[in-house]
Short mmCIF file of all heavy atoms in Angstrom, two decimals:
data_model
loop_
_atom_site.label_atom_id
_atom_site.label_comp_id
_atom_site.label_asym_id
_atom_site.label_seq_id
_atom_site.Cartn_x
_atom_site.Cartn_y
_atom_site.Cartn_z
N GLU L 1292 85.25 69.50 124.32
CA GLU L 1292 86.23 69.30 123.34
C GLU L 1292 87.73 69.47 123.76
O GLU L 1292 88.64 68.74 123.35
CB GLU L 1292 85.98 70.13 122.07
CG GLU L 1292 84.74 69.87 121.36
CD GLU L 1292 83.53 70.49 121.87
OE1 GLU L 1292 83.32 71.66 121.69
OE2 GLU L 1292 82.64 69.90 122.54
N ALA L 1293 87.92 70.41 124.55
CA ALA L 1293 89.24 70.72 125.02
C ALA L 1293 89.80 69.56 125.90
O ALA L 1293 90.95 69.22 125.77
CB ALA L 1293 89.28 71.96 126.03
N LEU L 1294 88.91 68.88 126.60
CA LEU L 1294 89.34 67.65 127.27
C LEU L 1294 89.76 66.53 126.27
O LEU L 1294 90.80 65.90 126.41
CB LEU L 1294 88.29 67.17 128.21
CG LEU L 1294 88.48 65.75 128.76
CD1 LEU L 1294 89.75 65.66 129.69
CD2 LEU L 1294 87.24 65.33 129.63
N VAL L 1295 88.89 66.22 125.36
CA VAL L 1295 89.18 65.18 124.43
C VAL L 1295 90.31 65.43 123.61
O VAL L 1295 91.13 64.65 123.30
CB VAL L 1295 87.97 64.99 123.44
CG1 VAL L 1295 88.17 63.79 122.53
CG2 VAL L 1295 86.74 64.53 124.32
N ARG L 1296 90.60 66.80 123.32
CA ARG L 1296 91.79 67.08 122.58
C ARG L 1296 93.13 66.89 123.51
O ARG L 1296 94.02 66.42 122.94
CB ARG L 1296 91.87 68.56 122.15
CG ARG L 1296 90.88 68.94 121.02
CD ARG L 1296 91.03 70.34 120.49
NE ARG L 1296 89.91 70.65 119.68
CZ ARG L 1296 89.71 70.23 118.37
NH1 ARG L 1296 90.65 69.43 117.77
NH2 ARG L 1296 88.65 70.64 117.70
N GLY L 1297 92.92 67.15 124.68
CA GLY L 1297 93.94 66.97 125.61
C GLY L 1297 94.42 65.43 125.75
O GLY L 1297 95.49 65.09 125.74
N LEU L 1298 93.32 64.63 125.82
CA LEU L 1298 93.68 63.25 125.97
C LEU L 1298 94.16 62.69 124.63
O LEU L 1298 94.97 61.67 124.67
CB LEU L 1298 92.34 62.54 126.42
CG LEU L 1298 91.82 62.86 127.75
CD1 LEU L 1298 90.70 62.00 128.12
CD2 LEU L 1298 92.88 62.79 128.72
N SER L 1299 93.57 63.18 123.42
CA SER L 1299 94.10 62.71 122.17
C SER L 1299 95.68 63.11 122.15
O SER L 1299 96.50 62.32 121.59
CB SER L 1299 93.37 63.41 121.08
OG SER L 1299 93.87 62.95 119.83
N GLY L 1300 95.99 64.37 122.76
CA GLY L 1300 97.34 64.81 122.83
C GLY L 1300 98.26 63.64 123.52
O GLY L 1300 99.42 63.37 123.21
N LEU L 1301 97.71 63.19 124.68
CA LEU L 1301 98.53 62.18 125.35
C LEU L 1301 98.68 60.88 124.55
O LEU L 1301 99.80 60.32 124.54
CB LEU L 1301 97.75 61.77 126.65
CG LEU L 1301 97.65 62.90 127.70
CD1 LEU L 1301 96.71 62.48 128.87
CD2 LEU L 1301 98.91 63.44 128.25
N SER L 1302 97.66 60.56 123.80
CA SER L 1302 97.74 59.31 122.97
C SER L 1302 98.87 59.55 121.73
O SER L 1302 99.62 58.67 121.52
CB SER L 1302 96.46 58.97 122.27
OG SER L 1302 96.60 58.03 121.26
N LEU L 1303 98.81 60.87 121.21
CA LEU L 1303 99.66 61.18 120.07
C LEU L 1303 101.10 61.31 120.63
O LEU L 1303 101.99 60.87 119.92
CB LEU L 1303 99.20 62.35 119.31
CG LEU L 1303 97.81 62.14 118.60
CD1 LEU L 1303 97.36 63.51 118.29
CD2 LEU L 1303 97.93 61.22 117.41
N LEU L 1304 101.26 61.99 121.81
CA LEU L 1304 102.65 62.27 122.25
C LEU L 1304 103.33 60.80 122.57
O LEU L 1304 104.53 60.72 122.46
CB LEU L 1304 102.60 63.05 123.55
CG LEU L 1304 102.28 64.58 123.30
CD1 LEU L 1304 102.02 65.26 124.63
CD2 LEU L 1304 103.47 65.19 122.52
N GLY L 1305 102.47 59.89 123.20
CA GLY L 1305 103.13 58.67 123.52
C GLY L 1305 103.02 57.77 122.45
O GLY L 1305 103.64 56.62 122.56
N ASP L 1306 102.61 58.03 121.26
CA ASP L 1306 102.53 57.16 119.97
C ASP L 1306 101.78 55.96 120.40
O ASP L 1306 102.02 54.87 119.84
CB ASP L 1306 103.90 56.88 119.56
CG ASP L 1306 104.00 56.56 118.08
OD1 ASP L 1306 103.16 57.07 117.36
OD2 ASP L 1306 104.79 55.64 117.64
N HIS L 1307 100.84 55.94 121.25
CA HIS L 1307 100.12 54.77 121.74
C HIS L 1307 99.06 54.28 120.72
O HIS L 1307 98.81 53.03 120.58
CB HIS L 1307 99.38 55.00 123.04
CG HIS L 1307 100.29 55.39 124.14
ND1 HIS L 1307 101.23 54.56 124.59
CD2 HIS L 1307 100.35 56.58 124.93
CE1 HIS L 1307 101.91 55.10 125.69
NE2 HIS L 1307 101.39 56.36 125.86
N TRP L 1308 98.60 55.22 119.94
CA TRP L 1308 97.34 54.90 119.09
C TRP L 1308 97.81 53.93 117.84
O TRP L 1308 96.95 53.24 117.34
CB TRP L 1308 96.81 56.19 118.44
CG TRP L 1308 97.75 56.91 117.52
CD1 TRP L 1308 98.84 57.74 117.98
CD2 TRP L 1308 97.89 56.84 116.12
NE1 TRP L 1308 99.46 58.22 116.96
CE2 TRP L 1308 98.95 57.68 115.76
CE3 TRP L 1308 97.15 56.11 115.24
CZ2 TRP L 1308 99.30 57.78 114.42
CZ3 TRP L 1308 97.62 56.26 113.78
CH2 TRP L 1308 98.53 57.16 113.41
N ARG L 1309 99.10 53.83 117.60
CA ARG L 1309 99.66 52.87 116.59
C ARG L 1309 99.65 51.48 117.07
O ARG L 1309 99.73 50.52 116.15
CB ARG L 1309 101.03 53.38 116.14
CG ARG L 1309 101.12 54.71 115.55
CD ARG L 1309 102.60 55.03 115.18
NE ARG L 1309 102.77 56.35 114.76
CZ ARG L 1309 102.51 56.95 113.64
NH1 ARG L 1309 102.16 56.17 112.54
NH2 ARG L 1309 102.76 58.22 113.49
N HIS L 1310 99.51 51.09 118.42
CA HIS L 1310 99.71 49.77 118.80
C HIS L 1310 98.39 49.16 119.27
O HIS L 1310 97.44 49.86 119.79
CB HIS L 1310 100.59 49.82 120.00
CG HIS L 1310 101.94 50.44 119.85
ND1 HIS L 1310 102.99 49.78 119.21
CD2 HIS L 1310 102.40 51.76 120.01
CE1 HIS L 1310 104.06 50.56 119.04
NE2 HIS L 1310 103.65 51.83 119.54
N PRO L 1311 98.20 47.93 119.10
CA PRO L 1311 96.94 47.25 119.36
C PRO L 1311 96.70 47.51 120.87
O PRO L 1311 97.63 47.18 121.73
CB PRO L 1311 97.19 45.80 119.01
CG PRO L 1311 98.21 45.87 117.93
CD PRO L 1311 99.04 47.04 118.17
N GLY L 1312 95.47 47.92 121.30
CA GLY L 1312 95.15 48.15 122.59
C GLY L 1312 95.72 49.51 123.18
O GLY L 1312 95.55 49.67 124.41
N GLY L 1313 96.22 50.31 122.44
CA GLY L 1313 96.68 51.53 122.78
C GLY L 1313 95.99 52.81 122.21
O GLY L 1313 95.34 52.71 121.17
N GLY L 1314 96.11 53.88 122.97
CA GLY L 1314 95.52 55.24 122.43
C GLY L 1314 94.22 55.52 123.10
O GLY L 1314 93.89 55.01 124.22
N LEU L 1315 93.64 56.46 122.57
CA LEU L 1315 92.33 56.98 123.13
C LEU L 1315 91.18 56.15 122.67
O LEU L 1315 91.12 55.83 121.55
CB LEU L 1315 92.14 58.57 122.66
CG LEU L 1315 90.86 59.21 123.25
CD1 LEU L 1315 90.78 59.30 124.82
CD2 LEU L 1315 90.78 60.61 122.62
N PHE L 1316 90.31 55.84 123.69
CA PHE L 1316 89.13 54.99 123.35
C PHE L 1316 87.92 55.67 123.86
O PHE L 1316 87.69 55.92 125.08
CB PHE L 1316 89.18 53.70 123.99
CG PHE L 1316 88.05 52.71 123.66
CD1 PHE L 1316 88.19 51.84 122.57
CD2 PHE L 1316 86.88 52.83 124.28
CE1 PHE L 1316 87.14 51.01 122.24
CE2 PHE L 1316 85.68 52.07 123.96
CZ PHE L 1316 85.84 50.97 122.89
N LEU L 1317 87.09 56.16 122.86
CA LEU L 1317 85.79 56.74 123.26
C LEU L 1317 84.63 55.81 122.89
O LEU L 1317 83.60 55.57 123.55
CB LEU L 1317 85.58 58.08 122.52
CG LEU L 1317 86.66 59.15 122.70
CD1 LEU L 1317 86.36 60.37 121.97
CD2 LEU L 1317 86.87 59.46 124.11
N TYR L 1318 84.73 55.18 121.71
CA TYR L 1318 83.76 54.16 121.27
C TYR L 1318 84.31 53.50 120.07
O TYR L 1318 85.38 53.71 119.52
CB TYR L 1318 82.40 54.98 120.81
CG TYR L 1318 82.67 56.11 119.68
CD1 TYR L 1318 82.81 55.80 118.40
CD2 TYR L 1318 82.57 57.43 120.33
CE1 TYR L 1318 82.94 56.96 117.58
CE2 TYR L 1318 82.76 58.44 119.27
CZ TYR L 1318 82.87 58.20 118.07
OH TYR L 1318 83.09 59.25 117.13
N ALA L 1319 83.63 52.35 119.78
CA ALA L 1319 84.02 51.52 118.66
C ALA L 1319 82.71 51.01 117.86
O ALA L 1319 81.75 50.80 118.54
CB ALA L 1319 84.78 50.32 119.20
N GLU L 1320 82.81 51.06 116.59
CA GLU L 1320 81.67 50.71 115.87
C GLU L 1320 82.04 49.75 114.77
O GLU L 1320 83.13 49.67 114.11
CB GLU L 1320 81.00 51.93 115.19
CG GLU L 1320 80.58 52.91 116.15
CD GLU L 1320 80.15 54.29 115.39
OE1 GLU L 1320 80.84 54.66 114.43
OE2 GLU L 1320 79.19 54.90 115.79
N PRO L 1321 81.19 48.86 114.40
CA PRO L 1321 81.38 47.93 113.18
C PRO L 1321 81.25 48.77 111.88
O PRO L 1321 80.78 49.89 111.89
CB PRO L 1321 80.29 46.90 113.23
CG PRO L 1321 79.16 47.47 114.08
CD PRO L 1321 79.79 48.51 115.00
N ASP L 1322 81.74 48.22 110.78
CA ASP L 1322 81.70 48.78 109.48
C ASP L 1322 80.28 48.68 109.04
O ASP L 1322 79.94 47.67 108.38
CB ASP L 1322 82.71 48.15 108.55
CG ASP L 1322 82.77 48.88 107.22
OD1 ASP L 1322 82.25 49.94 107.11
OD2 ASP L 1322 83.34 48.34 106.33
N LEU L 1323 79.46 49.61 109.24
CA LEU L 1323 77.96 49.49 108.97
C LEU L 1323 77.46 50.96 108.72
O LEU L 1323 77.69 51.74 109.55
CB LEU L 1323 77.30 48.78 110.12
CG LEU L 1323 76.01 48.18 109.78
CD1 LEU L 1323 75.98 47.06 108.91
CD2 LEU L 1323 75.29 47.86 111.23
N ASP L 1324 76.57 51.17 107.64
CA ASP L 1324 75.96 52.45 107.47
C ASP L 1324 74.50 52.30 107.98
O ASP L 1324 73.56 52.10 107.12
CB ASP L 1324 75.94 52.68 105.97
CG ASP L 1324 75.39 54.14 105.75
OD1 ASP L 1324 75.16 54.83 106.62
OD2 ASP L 1324 75.16 54.35 104.46
N SER L 1325 74.33 52.53 109.31
CA SER L 1325 73.00 52.31 109.83
C SER L 1325 72.01 53.38 109.36
O SER L 1325 70.84 53.17 109.15
CB SER L 1325 73.05 52.51 111.40
OG SER L 1325 73.88 51.36 111.88
N GLU L 1326 72.48 54.58 108.99
CA GLU L 1326 71.58 55.69 108.57
C GLU L 1326 70.91 55.42 107.24
O GLU L 1326 69.93 56.02 106.84
CB GLU L 1326 72.23 56.98 108.60
CG GLU L 1326 72.72 57.48 109.97
CD GLU L 1326 73.12 58.90 109.89
OE1 GLU L 1326 72.95 59.60 108.94
OE2 GLU L 1326 73.76 59.31 110.93
N ALA L 1327 71.49 54.45 106.46
CA ALA L 1327 70.97 54.16 105.23
C ALA L 1327 69.54 53.61 105.33
O ALA L 1327 68.74 53.66 104.46
CB ALA L 1327 71.83 52.99 104.49
N ALA L 1328 69.13 53.02 106.50
CA ALA L 1328 67.77 52.48 106.67
C ALA L 1328 66.83 53.55 106.60
O ALA L 1328 65.63 53.39 106.28
CB ALA L 1328 67.76 51.88 108.04
N GLY L 1329 67.22 54.91 106.84
CA GLY L 1329 66.19 55.94 106.76
C GLY L 1329 66.17 56.62 105.38
O GLY L 1329 65.45 57.50 105.09
N CYS L 1330 66.98 56.08 104.41
CA CYS L 1330 66.87 56.50 103.00
C CYS L 1330 67.03 58.06 102.90
O CYS L 1330 66.14 58.84 102.35
CB CYS L 1330 65.64 56.08 102.25
SG CYS L 1330 65.36 54.42 102.04
N PRO L 1331 68.12 58.58 103.32
CA PRO L 1331 68.34 60.07 103.21
C PRO L 1331 68.38 60.60 101.68
O PRO L 1331 68.15 61.73 101.61
CB PRO L 1331 69.77 60.27 103.84
CG PRO L 1331 70.48 58.97 103.86
CD PRO L 1331 69.34 58.02 104.02
N GLU L 1332 68.55 59.70 100.70
CA GLU L 1332 68.49 60.02 99.36
C GLU L 1332 67.15 60.57 98.97
O GLU L 1332 66.90 61.12 97.89
CB GLU L 1332 68.91 58.90 98.49
CG GLU L 1332 68.04 57.68 98.41
CD GLU L 1332 68.26 56.72 99.58
OE1 GLU L 1332 69.00 57.03 100.54
OE2 GLU L 1332 67.65 55.60 99.55
N LEU L 1333 66.06 60.24 99.75
CA LEU L 1333 64.72 60.75 99.51
C LEU L 1333 64.63 62.24 99.61
O LEU L 1333 63.57 62.88 99.17
CB LEU L 1333 63.70 60.07 100.45
CG LEU L 1333 63.46 58.51 100.20
CD1 LEU L 1333 62.61 57.95 101.29
CD2 LEU L 1333 62.78 58.41 98.80
#
Side-chain angles (χ1 to χ4, degrees):
E1292 290 88 77
L1294 168 61
V1295 182
R1296 287 190 196 282
L1298 298 184
S1299 183
L1301 295 177
S1302 170
L1303 294 166
L1304 285 170
D1306 205 34
H1307 298 298
W1308 65 278
R1309 298 180 192 273
H1310 304 278
L1315 179 59
F1316 183 96
L1317 304 181
Y1318 51 82
E1320 299 173 321
D1322 186 11
L1323 195 68
D1324 182 13
S1325 296
E1326 292 187 19
C1330 294
E1332 68 275 8
L1333 291 169

